[in-house]
Amino acid sequence: GQNIDQPTEMTATEGAIVQINCTYQTSGFNGLFWYQQHAGEAPTFLSYNVLDGLEEKGRFSSFLSRSKGYSYLLLKELQMKDSASYLCAPMNSGGYQKVTFGTGTKLQVIP
Amino acid sequence: GAVVSQHPSRVICKSGTSVKIECRSLDFQATTMFWYRQFPKQSLMLMATSNEGSKATYEQGVEKDKFLINHASLTLSTLTVTSAHPEDSSFYICSARDLRGGQGDTQYFGPGTRLTVL
């Protein structure tokens, strides 16, 4: 099975930087996704990490350490529209490579 | 990125009726699609894995006779909620994995279908 742990809620100021941490335990690991989900909408893809290290994509970066079962999502130059839930989702390596979602981190960006 | 569509986006039905939800990958082929359900303020829960040309793989606790999945082609999977009841009211979301080279492994979600059973 899989166990995913990330903070339930975070608050940050517009223009600032915020880091959302995620630890996970999986029976087999084949990469980790980060998604953004606004209330009432489906998740949108942000990043996929399979190798250790930092992947940068515009204002968003994602880091992975496979040995530590740890990932983080870094959001820079926060904007009000970044207020959403951020879902850490590891993918297992067996069978159909299922992706499991935690409850996500609800980020509120304030002026 | 790749596009996944779902239809309908919203449906209201009476208790006891059946509802079919379609999931399409518009610009890529997906041998595997996934169906999730999300209740308010809860995480996405995987219901089943839909495989083109074979039977779906259901997660523990999901009734296969109630949630019928058909992956008719490489771009279409359907989920039919049979004999729907109010407790089936939820946000149903499909996803498909895009394995085309150059982008790594990316899983894209459809926009979701909000089902309300009266």
Side-chain angles (χ1 to χ4, degrees), chain B residues 50-75:
Chain B
S50 172
N51 311 299
E52 190 269 335
S54 64
K55 292 181 179 180
T57 305
Y58 290 82
E59 294 301 298
Q60 192 172 9
V62 178
E63 301 174 57
K64 60 180 66 176
D65 293 331
K66 179 171 181 63
F67 299 99
L68 302 179
I69 292 173
N70 184 8
H71 200 139
S73 73
L74 289 173
T75 59

Side-chain angles (χ1 to χ4, degrees), chain B residues 25-99:
Chain B
S25 55
L26 298 185
D27 55 353
F28 67 101
Q29 294 181 331
T31 55
T32 303
M33 293 183 176
F34 303 89
W35 286 97
Y36 294 83
R37 180 167 55 180
Q38 186 176 35
F39 292 104
K41 299 185 178 181
Q42 295 187 21
S43 64
L44 281 80
M45 296 300 298
L46 179 65
M47 298 176 66
T49 303
S50 172
N51 311 299
E52 190 269 335
S54 64
K55 292 181 179 180
T57 305
Y58 290 82
E59 294 301 298
Q60 192 172 9
V62 178
E63 301 174 57
K64 60 180 66 176
D65 293 331
K66 179 171 181 63
F67 299 99
L68 302 179
I69 292 173
N70 184 8
H71 200 139
S73 73
L74 289 173
T75 59
L76 173 64
S77 174
T78 61
L79 168 69
T80 301
V81 183
T82 62
S83 186
H85 288 93
E87 58 264 31
D88 298 323
S89 298
S90 186
F91 192 39
Y92 292 85
I93 314 171
C94 72
S95 70
R97 185 166 290 140
D98 183 354
L99 295 174

